[in-house]
Amino acid sequence: MVFSLILVCDSSAMVGPAFPVPGAPGAGGSLENANPLIYRRQGERPITAREEDGDLPDAIDAREIFDLIRSINDPEHPLTLEELNVVEQVRVKVNDTESTVSVEFTPTIPHCSMATLIGLSIKVKLIRSLPERFKVDVHITQGTHASEHAVNKQLADKERVAAALENTHLLEVVNQCLSGRP
Amino acid sequence: MKDSLTVLSRIPAHPDSRCWFLAWNRTGTLLASCGGDRSIRIWGKEGEAWACKSVLGEGHQRTIRKVAWSPCGNYLASASFDATTCIWKKNQEDFECVATLEGHENEVKSVAWAPSGNLLATCSRDKSVWVWEVDEEDEYECMSVLNSHTQDVKHVVWHPNQELLASASYDDTVKLYREEEDDWVCFSTLEGHESTVWSLAFDQSGERLASCSDDKTVRIWRQYKPGNEQGVVCSGTDPTWKCICTLSGSHTRTIYDVAWCHLTGALATACGDDAIRVFEEDPHSDPHQPIFSLTAHVARAHSQDVNCVAWNPKEPGLMASCSDDGEMAFWKYQRPEVC
């Protein structure tokens, strides 16, 4: 999978890639983290009697948010973000009444060049899945990435996210991460 | 404070997309809106209601981020993520694209006309601010490329009556520029915000500038000329701009826009928490340490982020706002009776 940097990130060398993608310099063609630790997947969520009762209000909770993002594919490995422990249910905070969702994700290595792309995929998945009233914040787990502040700032900038998502090539890569494994 | 800001009407201005920005023409008779649907709409009053007079659809390949009217009202400039700026000329009721300004390396984020109408400024994610000169034949020539910012430049605005330009950036600073021997130079950098500065607004006199940021504050900066009584140090003949007030604690998310009414002095903000707020200066406070109080707060002004607030330049208290939900709203602001 080789993309031209010019096509993938319409930013010039001077500006630097807005959202690094596989095949871009930095990934260097080889895997950055060749042997990641693989974690066990959570089981299916047990459905409670309350949830089966359609008359009762059913607020969106952390498990529901986690279920939306756990099966996102890692851009490098044929593994999900859950299997790589990039996302965990305990790092999902949701407040349905205030319409806020906050997700912390943990890159597998502190210099992971895919961090922005992973964060963007989580953000896109939640924006597409949740009602529009929700404010979705996606951050790197504190202390787990060398460029934590820069990545967080970029993910929080909705104007740059909007511009990135108008890039069809980048959108393809994001959609690939979001497509469930067969 | 409860009913100081009341909604007059709501219009789905850019349905199924974001409405990014609004701009009134100088006479306050037309409002231009732009958005993620790559179109510009021109709104005018029909009876009591605001109606769409024109749709400017062909011109840009991507999101139109901001629009600006020329001071004469005959031209509209549009800044787009497609890296170009289009100039539209008004003929009777229709608009025609008469020029496309190219040169920025990626998304153009903002555009503004100088008060004379002879200069235009654009800024981009490529970190630069460009100053363009306009001649009588509608030819646009780039006079200067200013590379002072170290990151994405979000907004440009001209002083209300001088050839002084201000820009706001992702690098957390505001910069000021003036002409010097046929070129433009940055003469001041305003530091203080702790995150992206999204927008700027001069007050009516141009002596003060308001900036709003991702750090959830609004800062008020004041100009001090050389030899000022307050003893603010200036270098050479350039004035020093000093932060004289920080409005903090009122906003819960990013502040995307600020508008300073030149008729009433009211300061409005557009926030990522869906609210619109209005602040006014306490007339008894020290002008060098002013106190601004919240005089209106509409918590759910829109159903999503508010991207822009714009005071009508002729009708005091009339304000327009727009949101990520694609809607535009018109508001009546009435200053609450102060005790």
Side-chain angles (χ1 to χ4, degrees):
Chain A
M1 188 164 50
V2 177
F3 290 95
S4 143
L5 179 64
I6 307 295
L7 282 174
V8 172
C9 308
D10 58 349
S11 52
S12 67
M14 172 194 146
V15 180
F19 289 88
V21 296
S30 61
L31 294 176
E32 279 189 342
N33 183 9
N35 292 302
L37 267 175
I38 300 172
Y39 294 76
R40 226 180 106 192
R41 278 185 281 164
Q42 275 200 25
E44 293 305 312
R45 173 196 184 120
I47 295 166
T48 63
R50 183 192 158 83
E51 283 165 338
E52 278 182 353
D53 187 340
D55 294 333
L56 291 170
D58 191 10
I60 291 173
D61 61 15
R63 176 63 205 237
E64 242 170 306
I65 301 294
F66 181 66
D67 278 344
L68 288 169
I69 58 174
R70 60 196 281 230
S71 56
I72 296 174
N73 298 317
D74 180 76
E76 280 197 325
H77 297 282
L79 294 164
T80 65
L81 297 187
E82 179 187 21
E83 288 166 325
L84 292 169
N85 212 40
V86 171
V87 295
E88 298 163 273
Q89 192 177 328
V90 293
R91 301 197 183 279
V92 173
K93 301 274 177 290
V94 53
N95 185 329
D96 189 285
T97 47
E98 288 183 7
S99 303
T100 56
V101 170
S102 153
V103 172
E104 277 183 350
F105 69 103
T106 313
T108 54
I109 47 169
H111 289 90
C112 179
S113 66
M114 303 293 158
T116 322
L117 177 63
I118 293 170
L120 185 65
S121 301
I122 297 172
K123 194 151 189 166
V124 170
K125 175 71 185 182
L126 294 178
I127 288 169
R128 284 182 187 166
S129 315
L130 293 172
E132 285 178 336
R133 63 184 165 93
F134 274 96
K135 308 284 181 190
V136 177
D137 292 313
V138 175
H139 310 273
I140 288 181
T141 308
Q142 208 184 342
T144 64
H145 196 273
S147 314
E148 180 184 320
H149 175 72
V151 174
N152 287 344
K153 191 171 184 180
Q154 193 158 11
L155 288 172
D157 186 322
K158 69 168 183 181
E159 185 186 55
R160 289 174 70 146
V161 169
L165 294 178
E166 284 186 5
N167 180 319
T168 48
H169 297 270
L170 179 58
L171 195 59
E172 257 174 49
V173 178
V174 168
N175 284 337
Q176 237 161 49
C177 292
L178 297 186
S179 62
R181 271 189 299 164
Chain B
M1 178 170 129
K2 197 170 170 284
D3 299 316
S4 49
L5 192 63
T6 45
V7 69
L8 299 170
S9 63
R10 286 180 187 278
I11 297 171
H14 294 260
D16 306 320
S17 93
R18 270 194 172 103
C19 186
W20 272 117
F21 202 69
L22 302 171
W24 291 100
N25 66 354
R26 185 163 277 194
T27 54
T29 52
L30 295 176
L31 181 73
S33 67
C34 62
D37 61 359
R38 305 161 192 194
S39 79
I40 301 165
R41 279 159 213 261
I42 310 292
W43 306 85
K45 221 167 182 186
E46 277 178 10
E48 280 305 295
W50 291 89
C52 183
K53 300 280 190 184
S54 322
V55 181
L56 287 56
E58 311 287 314
H60 290 294
Q61 309 305 311
R62 292 179 57 187
T63 284
I64 303 174
R65 180 61 181 92
K66 279 176 192 166
V67 281
W69 291 93
S70 65
C72 66
N74 292 329
Y75 296 90
L76 184 75
S78 55
S80 167
F81 283 1
D82 69 10
T84 70
T85 305
C86 281
I87 309 293
W88 306 81
K89 190 176 186 175
K90 188 168 172 260
N91 309 315
Q92 257 82 41
E93 283 303 299
D94 233 0
F95 290 80
E96 183 196 359
C97 179
V98 292
T100 302
L101 313 186
E102 294 176 350
H104 281 296
E105 293 184 41
N106 41 46
E107 298 97 71
V108 184
K109 299 289 180 78
S110 181
V111 59
W113 297 85
S116 64
N118 297 327
L119 296 169
L120 188 76
T122 56
C123 65
S124 161
R125 186 164 68 81
D126 69 11
K127 310 174 189 179
S128 68
V129 173
W130 290 38
V131 179
W132 306 79
E133 199 171 26
V134 189
D135 70 13
E136 288 86 30
E137 272 88 53
D138 287 348
E139 297 286 328
Y140 293 76
E141 196 186 339
C142 177
M143 275 185 85
S144 191
V145 175
L146 299 155
N147 287 307
S148 306
H149 281 296
T150 60
Q151 291 286 344
D152 185 1
V153 191
K154 299 295 196 186
H155 194 76
V156 279
V157 64
W158 290 88
H159 187 281
N161 48 51
Q162 291 170 24
E163 294 207 330
L164 184 145
L165 178 67
S167 64
S169 166
Y170 190 86
D171 70 11
D172 309 350
T173 70
V174 174
K175 289 186 185 273
L176 299 168
Y177 314 84
R178 59 168 166 73
E179 194 173 8
E180 186 178 272
E181 292 161 12
D182 289 337
D183 201 3
W184 283 75
V185 290
C186 171
F187 70 88
S188 186
T189 300
L190 280 42
E191 289 174 325
H193 279 298
E194 287 163 12
S195 191
T196 303
V197 188
W198 279 96
S199 188
L200 301 166
F202 279 100
D203 74 352
Q204 181 260 336
S205 68
E207 292 284 305
R208 295 183 299 175
L209 178 69
S211 57
C212 65
S213 163
D214 180 51
D215 70 10
K216 304 176 186 119
T217 70
V218 173
R219 281 164 200 259
I220 312 287
W221 310 81
R222 187 189 171 99
Q223 168 180 250
Y224 290 90
K225 288 182 176 156
N228 63 82
E229 284 174 21
Q230 288 70 35
V232 176
V233 181
C234 296
S235 93
T237 55
D238 286 323
T240 291
W241 288 74
K242 186 182 149 201
C243 181
I244 53 166
C245 178
T246 302
L247 305 178
S248 55
S250 298
H251 300 85
T252 65
R253 293 182 70 88
T254 305
I255 311 166
Y256 289 110
D257 195 26
V258 58
W260 207 330
C261 182
H262 289 185
L263 303 173
T264 68
L267 191 76
T269 60
C271 187
D273 62 11
D274 308 347
I276 295 176
R277 296 168 178 85
V278 181
F279 298 83
E280 289 211 50
E281 185 178 1
D282 176 349
H284 306 297
S285 63
D286 178 355
H288 303 284
Q289 279 178 297
I291 296 164
F292 282 77
S293 12
L294 189 65
T295 54
H297 176 198
V298 180
R300 286 200 167 66
H302 287 277
S303 70
Q304 293 181 52
D305 293 5
V306 187
N307 290 325
C308 176
V309 278
W311 294 104
N312 184 289
K314 292 293 176 199
E315 193 181 330
L318 175 61
M319 184 174 71
S321 64
C322 68
S323 163
D324 273 357
D325 64 13
E327 273 197 352
M328 173 167 87
F330 293 90
W331 304 86
K332 178 77 199 162
Y333 171 67
Q334 250 171 333
R335 191 179 196 183
E337 297 298 323
V338 228
C339 33

